[in-house]
Amino acid sequence: EVQLLESGGGLVQPGGSLRLSCAASGFTFSGYAMTWVRQTPGKGLEWVSSISGSGAKTYYADSVKGRFTISRDNSKDTLYVQVNSLRADDTAVYYCAKHPDVGSYYYMDVWGKGTTVTVSS
Amino acid sequence: QTVVTQEPSFSVSPGGTVTLTCGLSSGSVSSSYYPSWYQQTPGQAPRTLIYSTNTRSSGVPDRFSGSILGNKAALTITGAQADDEADYHCVLYMGSGISVFGGGTKLTVL
């Protein structure tokens, strides 16, 4: 069974940092592009960042560019996002999602259950 | 700034048909944007319903269908059931690895 399990969320002060992880299982991780999506409390979903299967290509939403860094370790079947300079409006549930193949980003076919990041002093 | 528009809320009677739409603040939605749709119930992760305009994801009942209607992408639920009550999110793929979500539609079945 294809599964994604996020971790690393928590309470952090404004300006702080976290590294979120997404452990993948049930598929050949390196063969698929991956994405982070977030959902602010009571609001809609927002695309955050995507990465190709090899990790060579990365993409970011303007709202996080320069502060977030997406990466992956294909030897550990794990996706990461380093989130720095956190602001109150970064408070959200962060989901990782799988794309249907190594270099296409047309849609997400599998989602994790999410990890919650709260930015507050 | 690309804005993807969805109705904030919609209601449908059990057994009824409802069409939710996904548009662009500027321009028309076509299949070139590979519209996809996701269902989300409270406290749960999104579930993929439709991709590439009109392809149902594995296990999705055929009462869910996708299309292009006029200048928007559309999700139609035919014969709505109580457990279809959820938030529905559309996504348009802008190219270069970038996707944009709509604001979501809260569907009430009553």
Side-chain angles (χ1 to χ4, degrees):
Chain A
E1 181 190 2
V2 174
Q3 286 191 326
L4 301 171
L5 183 62
E6 301 91 337
S7 61
L11 174 64
V12 61
Q13 292 187 340
S17 299
L18 282 174
R19 188 176 79 158
L20 308 182
S21 301
C22 171
S25 60
F27 64 101
T28 303
F29 182 65
S30 60
Y32 298 89
M34 299 291 293
T35 275
W36 288 99
V37 172
R38 67 184 181 183
Q39 185 166 34
T40 50
K43 294 191 177 179
L45 299 165
E46 179 188 14
W47 172 78
V48 172
S49 181
S50 297
I51 188 168
S52 63
S54 67
K57 297 181 179 180
T58 59
Y59 309 93
Y60 297 92
D62 287 343
S63 58
V64 306
K65 202 172 292 183
R67 300 187 300 122
F68 289 18
T69 303
I70 192 172
S71 63
R72 62 192 298 160
D73 186 338
N74 287 344
S75 69
K76 295 183 178 179
D77 292 347
T78 303
L79 174 73
Y80 303 100
V81 63
Q82 178 71 37
V83 297
N84 297 330
S85 303
L86 282 163
R87 312 183 301 222
D89 63 358
D90 294 316
T91 294
V93 176
Y94 286 74
Y95 296 100
C96 70
K98 170 186 167 291
H99 288 283
D101 64 46
V102 64
S104 81
Y105 307 90
Y106 303 143
Y107 70 100
M108 287 71 77
D109 61 354
V110 179
W111 296 72
K113 296 186 184 303
T115 187
T116 300
V117 172
T118 303
V119 183
S120 175
S121 54
Chain B
Q1 180 80 352
T2 300
V3 176
V4 176
T5 61
Q6 293 186 250
E7 299 87 358
S9 63
F10 231 116
S11 64
V12 62
S13 300
T17 296
V18 62
T19 296
L20 312 181
T21 68
C22 176
L24 280 170
S25 57
S26 177
S28 298
V29 177
S30 68
S31 58
S32 300
Y33 288 95
Y34 300 93
S36 55
W37 293 88
Y38 305 85
Q39 179 192 59
Q40 187 181 31
T41 52
Q44 300 299 310
R47 168 198 180 198
T48 305
L49 291 179
I50 300 285
Y51 60 92
S52 297
T53 304
N54 57 12
T55 303
R56 272 186 299 276
S57 190
S58 176
V60 174
D62 60 6
R63 66 178 183 274
F64 292 92
S65 62
S67 63
I68 299 291
L69 286 180
N71 62 350
K72 296 183 179 182
L75 173 71
T76 299
I77 307 172
T78 304
Q81 300 182 2
D83 60 3
D84 295 335
E85 186 161 294
D87 294 330
Y88 291 85
H89 306 274
C90 77
V91 175
L92 301 180
Y93 179 64
M94 298 297 165
S96 300
I98 297 170
S99 296
V100 181
F101 281 81
T105 297
K106 183 177 183 62
L107 180 67
T108 301
V109 180
L110 51 72

